[in-house]
Amino acid sequence: MSALVPSAVREIADGYAFTGPALDLGAVLLDGTAYAEAPVRVPLAVLNRHGLVAGATGTGKTKTLQLIAEQLSAQGVPVFLADIKGDVSGVAAPGEPGERTAARAAEVGQDWQPRGCPAEFYALGGLGSGIPLRATVTSFGPLLLSKVLDLNETQESSLGLVFHYADRNGLELYDLKDLTAVITFLTSPEGKEELKGIGGISAATAGVILRSLTLLENEGAGAFFGEPEFDTAELLRTADGGAGVVSVLELPAVQDRPRLFSTFLMWLLADLYQELPEVGDLDRPKLVFFFDEAHLLFKGASKSFLEAITQTVRLIRSKGVGIFFVTQTPKDVPADVLAQLGNRVQHALRAFTPDDAKALKATVSTFPKSPAYDLGEVLTSLGTGEAVITVLSEKGAPTPVAATRLRAPQSLMGPIAPAALQAAVDGSALAGKYRDAIDPESAYEKLAARAARPEAEPVPDPAPAGGAEPAPERSPERSSGRAAERTQEGGGGLLGSLMSNPALKSFARSAGTQLGREISRSLFGTSRRRR
């Protein structure tokens, strides 16, 4: 390193001199000068320790996601990106050279070459461009669905009872009409009689839930629930040549339904958590998941929902999955979750109001003390594409705080043309698997047939004494690699005590029975796939 490099920069650079594979983020910035001899990096092996990318609007958070994602892909690590604004699709195409890109590369010592990544494009239920992502109502679960519907704790508990009843009685909840049919039945005289002994649902509570479901369906979200359900294992693929596939969830079409897409992203994580084996610390993660607009996930969340998020973040690291929360300020993330985020990229903050000043002070307090910087001053003076960074070293210790001028992404910094996006979707091997919705027989049809009989017979208990009968199989059109039935745990109340029992979950994985379906519910009430 040149003798002209200040000692403070040398000391910071020493903290980022890793020996193993690492991602290059940029160069140390001090007093407005970037020192290309002092690179700022993050070890590949610690990216399952989770992270935070924060900063005010327009400070470069999206480009930071792109920069990290394309390097992960190049290292063979699959990536999931939520494209809220519709400008991340360019990760699939080579970047365009220009004077500004060349100048930035020279400042940070980057050998910039245009390069795109292998990518898949998805859309929630086909709302917008992309391969449709769907989940069954049963798979989504009462706790996550309560978040989407903005239910209070009493209503959430009642919804959990509905799921409990449907599971015990072989009433598959694939789409919203199935759930509506079961709720309507359970508030009828016959349904109330069947609930005796395990509780009941008041007409007022049922009315609130049904109105919320109607509103959700009127907003177009009904297309998200149904079959074929998306297999989250698709997110773990690599392309020919070994590059990790970047899965881009196109969300501009549902920007006005933030509660839906933020909760759906949590469903993805919960499903991955259940399905992946324990692997401990690897030399590289199996998947890195970027949770954009993270504040939407936590806003108005119930205590049980927040507890489930915190537990998932704590435990999914051992499955080889890293999570980056992306938001405006660290205070948008609950303290228990923030404590799990060891890698931090903080873009500029603005302090135009007293509330802004409080947020700035709170952000500074979350960083290690730095002899080289007045962080309060630095964070308000950073330019676009600059950030304050601290990550975990290969030994797990925090690195020195480094103001950093970030590298330029090598992929296209902007959306690809709509025609190119559609061509990528049409040419995907997954299009034929997930594009067309199917409607197998489920709760709606079964209850309608029951009501049509002159004397409706009670639904038999699928697991009588003396042996459990097999659970009804799903439609033969069910996509390969998925289970015939998925299970889930009720959102509190009767089933709450089952949530933390791994033995019950393990038993249910192999049981393939209605009893197994009931007892294998997990953190968010999402279900396991039966092998």
Side-chain angles (χ1 to χ4, degrees):
M1 189 176 295
S2 169
L4 299 177
V5 175
S7 60
V9 174
R10 291 170 178 268
E11 291 175 5
I12 293 170
D14 288 344
Y16 292 87
F18 309 124
T19 57
L23 308 186
D24 294 303
L25 301 180
V28 173
L29 184 66
L30 183 66
D31 296 330
T33 300
Y35 292 87
E37 306 96 320
V40 176
R41 312 165 74 220
V42 56
L44 191 60
V46 304
L47 287 174
N48 69 331
R49 303 296 183 91
H50 311 321
L52 176 74
V53 178
T57 300
T59 55
K61 298 191 297 295
T62 301
K63 298 302 178 285
T64 297
L65 303 189
Q66 197 168 335
L67 173 67
I68 297 174
E70 64 186 23
Q71 292 191 63
L72 284 167
S73 175
Q75 296 270 12
V77 179
V79 177
F80 179 89
L81 290 174
D83 190 3
I84 305 295
K85 298 183 290 292
D87 56 358
V88 184
S89 60
V91 73
E96 297 176 348
E99 291 183 4
R100 294 178 61 184
T101 300
R104 173 62 62 102
E107 291 170 351
V108 301
Q110 178 183 11
D111 179 18
W112 190 91
Q113 300 292 332
R115 183 177 60 195
C117 304
E120 293 279 6
F121 297 97
Y122 300 99
L124 286 188
L127 300 176
S129 300
I131 297 164
L133 296 189
R134 301 181 186 90
T136 62
V137 170
T138 290
S139 170
F140 210 70
L143 193 55
L144 284 172
L145 191 57
S146 294
K147 167 71 172 173
V148 174
L149 299 177
D150 198 20
L151 303 183
N152 61 32
E153 291 187 5
T154 299
Q155 294 155 358
E156 180 183 302
S157 178
S158 295
L159 187 61
L161 182 61
V162 173
F163 277 73
H164 170 72
Y165 175 85
D167 271 355
R168 285 188 59 84
N169 291 280
L171 298 173
E172 298 85 355
L173 303 178
Y174 292 157
D175 52 30
L176 295 183
K177 75 176 187 298
D178 290 326
L179 181 57
T180 299
V182 175
I183 296 172
T184 302
F185 171 74
L186 291 179
T187 53
S188 70
E190 183 183 355
K192 289 179 180 178
E193 185 67 23
E194 291 196 19
L195 283 181
K196 277 187 176 180
I198 62 170
I201 302 173
S202 71
T205 296
V208 170
I209 297 174
L210 288 172
R211 286 193 296 272
S212 298
L213 288 172
T214 299
L215 179 61
L216 186 66
E217 191 156 24
N218 289 342
E219 290 177 344
F224 163 67
F225 295 99
E227 291 273 23
E229 185 174 73
F230 181 68
D231 186 347
T232 51
E234 309 282 13
L235 303 179
L236 302 174
R237 295 181 301 128
T238 56
D240 294 340
V245 172
V246 179
S247 298
V248 182
L249 178 59
E250 294 286 311
L251 290 167
V254 292
Q255 281 192 22
D256 57 341
R257 279 156 278 175
R259 193 180 299 271
L260 175 63
F261 70 70
S262 65
T263 312
F264 167 77
L265 297 184
M266 206 65 233
W267 172 79
L268 282 180
L269 279 181
D271 192 85
L272 285 164
Y273 170 77
Q274 292 175 40
E275 296 303 317
L276 291 174
E278 294 282 340
V279 294
D281 290 325
L282 303 172
D283 60 354
R284 65 191 63 218
K286 288 186 173 182
L287 173 71
V288 177
F289 190 102
F290 289 90
F291 211 125
D292 203 3
E293 302 294 340
H295 64 283
L296 298 173
L297 176 68
F298 304 109
K299 184 178 179 181
S302 67
K303 181 180 178 181
S304 58
F305 187 83
L306 290 175
E307 288 173 350
I309 293 173
T310 303
Q311 189 171 357
T312 299
V313 172
R314 285 174 177 164
L315 299 179
I316 204 170
R317 179 185 70 80
S318 64
K319 305 291 185 91
V321 176
I323 307 169
F324 273 74
F325 291 96
V326 185
T327 189
Q328 294 199 4
T329 71
K331 71 181 183 64
D332 293 334
V333 180
D336 287 345
V337 176
L338 192 63
Q340 309 299 316
L341 312 182
N343 302 302
R344 305 280 297 278
V345 180
Q346 177 65 60
H347 288 266
L349 291 174
R350 309 307 179 203
F352 299 136
T353 69
D355 286 344
D356 291 342
K358 289 180 182 178
L360 175 62
K361 185 176 180 180
T363 299
V364 170
S365 70
T366 64
F367 278 86
K369 293 189 179 296
S370 171
Y373 303 105
D374 178 341
L375 285 182
E377 180 179 342
V378 170
L379 285 173
T380 56
S381 60
L382 291 171
T384 301
E386 297 175 348
V388 169
I389 293 175
T390 180
V391 301
L392 295 178
S393 71
E394 292 166 313
K395 296 180 179 180
T399 58
V401 173
T404 306
R405 184 161 291 161
L406 296 166
R407 290 185 167 212
Q410 293 177 292
S411 53
L412 183 64
M413 289 188 281
I416 60 176
L421 175 58
Q422 192 60 52
V425 173
D426 293 340
S428 171
L430 301 180
K433 188 175 181 180
Y434 295 111
R435 174 169 286 166
D436 296 328
I438 59 177
D439 188 15
E441 184 184 38
S442 51
Y444 176 82
E445 290 81 10
K446 291 181 178 182
L447 290 172
R450 177 177 176 176
R453 291 197 295 268
E455 293 184 3
E457 300 175 1
V459 178
D461 186 343
E469 296 179 7
E473 293 295 325
R474 285 192 180 183
S475 163
E477 296 171 88
R478 185 74 166 120
S479 51
S480 62
R482 300 294 286 176
E485 286 293 342
R486 300 187 59 147
T487 61
Q488 59 185 307
E489 179 170 22
L494 293 170
L495 302 180
S497 62
L498 299 177
M499 290 180 68
S500 59
N501 193 322
L504 292 178
K505 296 176 188 175
S506 178
F507 168 77
R509 192 176 185 87
S510 60
T513 66
Q514 293 288 348
L515 175 61
R517 292 171 58 220
E518 178 176 332
I519 65 178
S520 70
R521 306 216 192 266
S522 130
L523 295 175
F524 287 92
T526 54
S527 61
R528 281 189 189 274
R529 290 189 288 274
R530 194 180 65 198
R531 300 301 184 189

